[in-house]
Amino acid sequence: MFSRNYKEKTIESVLFSVSALTVVILFLICLFLFRDSLLLFKATSLLDFLTGKFWYPTSVNRQFGLLPLFFGSLIVTAGAILFAVPLGIAAAIYISEIAPPKVTDALKPFIEILAGIPSVVFGFFGLVILVPAVQNIFNLPTGQTALTGSIMLGIMALPTIITISEDAISSVPSTIKQGSLALGATRWQTIYKVIVPAALSGISAAVMLGIGRAIGETMTLMMVTGNTAVIPSFPGGILDPVRTMTATIALEMGEVPQGSAHFHALFAVGSVLFIITFLINLIADMVKKRYRFKVD
């Protein structure tokens, strides 16, 4: 009995230490990120940074405006959501409720493999295949546009949305499905009126995590969006080159003098990105709890 209690205490201590270490690491990341970000505002006001319409970090009259980068990220992410969410949820429903077992067994490993492909491979595929296709279809000067980035981000977010949504749908108790069918509902009525609402918590979390995955992507967007730091128009801006926050940090951090205003501006962009991602994950957790299906 003493040995068993000792093992349990040891396991509890290890788990607590790992959890505490995770919190400490997150705190240190925040401290490091925000410390360098705040130094920017000695030379530039917070309002000018958040509402600035131009990103000219190397010109004589330096301007560190976040809006071109923010709206570039926003339009690309919004396009990715419109592409990936309907397709991902439909695929999850098909795999979980409609597909024969052999098809399901074949599709699941494929989706998992898709999730493991490096970002640079997606970027190379987009640059070689998708960019010329978009350029020819829409008769554009260049195919490196927000639309191209949205499609690629949508493809990259699909595995997250499909996998989590499929798990949520599969976890709906079979008694709920059987009860709906026993009451005379058709298979399709059971799916969209019973199963999907019951799995809404997991599906919502899948969508939010897919959005988080899209916002944080860097390499692919560097290769297919054109990297032009201008505020895109609406709705025609989807066919214009844009630059995202993540791509800006990746492109400029390697050449910026350490300790300069430009250096601190990139940290400020990273801080905004960190806050946005944190809020998305927080909302996903709230939505998951709010719409959690309960069986009495």
Side-chain angles (χ1 to χ4, degrees):
M1 180 64 69
F2 175 78
S3 177
R4 180 178 178 180
N5 291 336
Y6 179 76
K7 289 181 180 179
E8 291 179 354
K9 290 293 184 182
T10 303
I11 293 173
E12 290 178 3
S13 299
V14 171
L15 293 177
F16 175 79
S17 300
V18 172
S19 302
L21 180 62
T22 304
V23 174
V24 171
I25 291 174
L26 180 60
F27 174 76
L28 292 176
I29 291 174
C30 294
L31 181 64
F32 171 74
L33 192 61
F34 291 116
R35 181 198 63 183
D36 282 297
S37 302
L38 293 174
L39 294 176
L40 170 68
F41 305 118
K42 291 182 177 180
T44 302
S45 71
L46 177 62
L47 184 62
D48 289 340
F49 173 71
L50 294 177
T51 62
K53 298 180 179 180
F54 303 100
W55 181 264
Y56 298 143
T58 57
S59 64
V60 177
N61 298 319
R62 295 177 300 180
Q63 298 185 55
F64 302 108
L66 181 67
L67 288 184
L69 314 181
F70 174 78
F71 281 113
S73 297
L74 181 64
I75 193 171
V76 171
T77 304
I81 294 168
L82 294 175
F83 172 78
V85 171
L87 187 59
I89 295 176
I93 293 172
Y94 174 77
I95 292 173
S96 179
E97 298 296 326
I98 300 173
K102 290 185 178 180
V103 176
T104 299
D105 293 340
L107 286 176
K108 279 190 173 182
F110 175 77
I111 294 171
E112 292 172 358
I113 292 173
L114 189 65
I117 297 176
S119 299
V120 68
V121 176
F122 279 107
F124 183 74
F125 170 81
L127 188 63
V128 174
I129 304 298
L130 191 58
V131 166
V134 170
Q135 182 178 9
N136 294 330
I137 291 172
F138 295 98
N139 193 25
L140 300 172
T142 176
Q144 292 177 304
T145 63
L147 176 62
T148 312
S150 296
I151 295 174
M152 293 308 305
L153 279 190
I155 294 173
M156 297 176 70
L158 275 176
T160 300
I161 296 175
I162 293 174
T163 301
I164 300 177
S165 297
E166 193 272 332
D167 289 341
I169 294 170
S170 299
S171 65
V172 175
S174 59
T175 53
I176 303 296
K177 307 175 189 178
Q178 294 168 2
S180 175
L181 295 172
L183 290 173
T186 64
R187 188 178 185 184
W188 282 108
Q189 288 174 329
T190 300
I191 289 174
Y192 75 82
K193 287 188 176 181
V194 177
I195 296 175
V196 172
L200 187 60
S201 170
I203 293 174
S204 302
V207 171
M208 299 304 292
L209 292 174
I211 295 172
R213 171 77 169 87
I215 289 179
E217 181 51 46
T218 303
M219 183 58 68
T220 301
L221 296 181
M222 285 174 55
M223 300 174 71
V224 301
T225 57
N227 297 309
T228 302
V230 295
I231 298 177
S233 59
F234 182 84
I238 193 68
L239 296 177
D240 295 332
V242 296
R243 176 184 283 193
T244 63
M245 291 186 285
T246 53
T248 300
I249 296 172
L251 285 168
E252 299 180 6
M253 184 59 77
E255 300 178 357
V256 63
Q258 187 171 358
S260 63
H262 186 190
F263 178 82
H264 297 307
L266 294 178
F267 271 89
V269 173
S271 298
V272 173
L273 188 63
F274 177 86
I275 293 171
I276 292 174
T277 306
F278 176 78
L279 291 176
I280 288 174
N281 284 277
L282 186 63
I283 294 172
D285 186 64
M286 294 172 60
V287 169
K288 185 176 180 180
K289 292 179 180 179
R290 172 67 177 81
Y291 294 102
R292 181 173 296 162
F293 184 75
K294 298 179 181 179
V295 180
D296 294 330

